Amino acid sequence: AQRVTQPEKLLSVFKGAPVELKCNYSYSGSPELFWYVQYSRQRLQLLLRHISRESIKGFTADLNKGETSFHLKKPFAQEEDSAMYYCALEADSGGSNYKLTFGKGTLLTVNP
Amino acid sequence: DAGITQSPRYKITETGRQVTLMCHQTWSHSYMFWYRQDLGHGLRLIYYSAAADITDKGEVPDGYVVSRSKTENFPLTLESATRSQTSVYFCATTGTASNEQFFGPGTRLTVL
């Protein structure tokens, strides 16, 4: 069975500082990895996925199959980045009924 | 985002009562999901559905029942609510064209 680990429950940085939210996964097949974000009083939404290899709101994430990691990074954090971030895995993209396995989440606070 | 709605948004009930949480989507997406969100556990899949009349268990199905008689609706029923089912419940949907999951606003359920 697959597993997603986000080792930090809480992460606090100052505005303008770099931020890295860690995500490690355990799965023997070919997963698709996602980052979902939940801003205060808003619904959960997709931030980015590894196959698109794009930068959203200044965030990037690279899939490292050797280290089974998908860390989320941003070089200069902004106060509006404060939110709960979830790393999620879909096993065998499309072949798993699109089920996602989520990590426990990291609450990011960006201080002024 | 208005394409997926949940009702009620807040519900307080007592132990042993039956409660039904509603989920409605307007996109005619095939797949629908129910998650519960708990501090320290992240999001966990309760049940999912690949199409009308096709449902299957997720990670934490015990104590819950689902049905899907119509593509657009996916109600979740707690047959005899327990305090451990106090949680925030999210419904989500995805089409087969894209595996991005779209989430509803959530239902905050308190079982006294």
Side-chain angles (χ1 to χ4, degrees):
Chain A
Q2 56 268 28
R3 179 180 294 178
V4 176
T5 302
Q6 293 179 250
E8 304 133 332
K9 290 184 180 179
L10 304 170
L11 184 61
S12 181
V13 301
F14 286 102
K15 177 183 174 180
V19 63
E20 181 180 46
L21 289 82
K22 292 184 168 54
C23 172
N24 290 90
Y25 67 91
S26 172
Y27 181 63
S28 57
S30 298
E32 185 167 354
L33 275 296
F34 305 81
W35 278 100
Y36 280 81
V37 60
Q38 186 177 26
Y39 300 102
S40 180
R41 295 192 175 88
Q42 294 187 29
R43 60 184 74 191
L44 209 68
Q45 59 187 284
L46 177 66
L47 180 62
L48 54 78
R49 66 181 85 192
H50 87 267
I51 60 171
S52 60
R53 300 185 64 81
E54 56 188 348
S55 173
I56 304 293
K57 299 184 178 182
F59 284 98
T60 59
D62 292 318
L63 180 61
N64 185 321
K65 292 185 178 181
E67 296 184 356
T68 59
S69 68
F70 187 56
H71 303 328
L72 184 67
K73 301 177 183 179
K74 185 170 183 177
F76 307 103
Q78 303 300 314
E79 290 181 66
E80 55 265 31
D81 296 327
S82 296
M84 178 69 84
Y85 291 80
Y86 290 99
C87 183
L89 177 152
E90 181 187 326
D92 297 326
S93 180
S96 64
N97 287 317
Y98 303 99
K99 292 187 294 181
L100 292 178
T101 299
F102 284 87
K104 294 182 179 181
T106 297
L107 181 62
L108 173 66
T109 301
V110 181
N111 300 297
Chain B
D1 285 351
I4 179 167
T5 57
Q6 293 182 234
S7 62
R9 295 291 314 279
Y10 302 90
K11 177 73 176 179
I12 299 174
T13 191
E14 295 177 336
T15 302
R17 290 190 180 268
Q18 183 179 80
V19 178
T20 295
L21 310 183
M22 304 301 295
C23 178
H24 176 78
Q25 55 118 345
T26 59
W27 295 307
S28 299
H29 282 173
S30 299
Y31 289 85
M32 297 188 76
F33 307 86
W34 273 108
Y35 296 92
R36 59 178 291 173
Q37 183 186 42
D38 302 289
L39 203 61
H41 291 279
L43 278 86
R44 292 178 292 174
L45 182 65
I46 304 171
Y47 269 95
Y48 68 100
S49 170
D53 297 322
I54 300 175
T55 63
D56 207 348
K57 295 178 180 179
E59 181 185 352
V60 288
D62 293 343
Y64 303 95
V65 174
V66 294
S67 62
R68 193 153 176 222
S69 58
K70 295 183 178 181
T71 300
E72 60 267 29
N73 296 323
F74 190 38
L76 176 73
T77 298
L78 289 66
E79 292 188 303
S80 179
T82 64
R83 288 180 182 163
S84 64
Q85 292 178 309
T86 292
S87 185
V88 180
Y89 291 85
F90 288 99
C91 180
T93 182
T94 186
T96 53
S98 164
N99 57 358
E100 174 181 355
Q101 288 196 13
F102 298 92
F103 285 79
T107 295
R108 184 175 294 275
L109 176 68
T110 302
V111 183
L112 302 177

